[in-house]
Amino acid sequence: MSNEMREPTFLVLAALLEGPKHGYALLSAVNDLSDGRVNLQVGTLYGALDRLSRSGWVMESGTEIVDGRHRRYFTLTDTGARALAEETARVTARANKAAALLAQHRKGFAL
């Protein structure tokens, strides 16, 4: 993967690691995973899901009608899981480098 993944994409993919989810459940999971920092709007979420579906990272895995409302469920694909793993490794490596630099220079900073 050559480009950095945007945080909302990362969070949507991570939320789908728990299994198939419909839109509202994804909105809630993204909010929880980000400790309330990322609050996706419905239109933004479904635009992202359509883009992720086209890229092969997620797929629609079913629908149902609940209280007269149509719910679409989405599932993480193997390709999406690999992309998430690569991004997780990239972010972890960057954070580890920063942590090592902070440890080396800790005495000079009031942390």
Side-chain angles (χ1 to χ4, degrees), residues 43-79:
T44 302
L45 173 66
Y46 280 100
L49 288 169
D50 288 343
R51 180 178 47 78
L52 293 171
S53 290
R54 285 191 305 275
S55 71
W57 291 2
V58 303
M59 61 184 243
E60 192 171 319
S61 58
T63 62
E64 69 177 345
I65 304 294
V66 176
D67 295 329
R69 301 180 90 179
H70 185 213
R71 284 186 179 170
R72 292 178 9 190
Y73 285 81
F74 294 87
T75 301
L76 184 66
T77 65
D78 290 343
T79 303

Side-chain angles (χ1 to χ4, degrees), residues 4 7 34 47 70 82 84 89 99-100 106:
E4 291 185 13
E7 185 176 22
S34 70
H70 185 213
R82 279 192 298 276
L84 180 62
R106 188 176 328 167

Side-chain angles (χ1 to χ4, degrees), residues 14 22 24 33 39 66-67 88 111:
H22 58 79
Y24 180 77
L33 286 169
N39 293 298
V66 176
D67 295 329
T88 299
L111 298 178

Side-chain angles (χ1 to χ4, degrees), residues 11-12 15 24-40:
L11 294 169
V12 166
Y24 180 77
L26 276 169
L27 292 173
S28 180
V30 165
N31 184 276
D32 289 346
L33 286 169
S34 70
D35 294 324
R37 288 182 311 99
V38 177
N39 293 298
L40 295 177

Side-chain angles (χ1 to χ4, degrees), residues 78-106:
D78 290 343
T79 303
R82 279 192 298 276
L84 180 62
E86 289 172 11
E87 181 68 1
T88 299
R90 187 190 64 74
V91 170
T92 299
R94 185 168 49 182
N96 287 341
K97 287 178 185 179
L101 289 170
L102 282 168
Q104 289 174 3
H105 301 287
R106 188 176 328 167

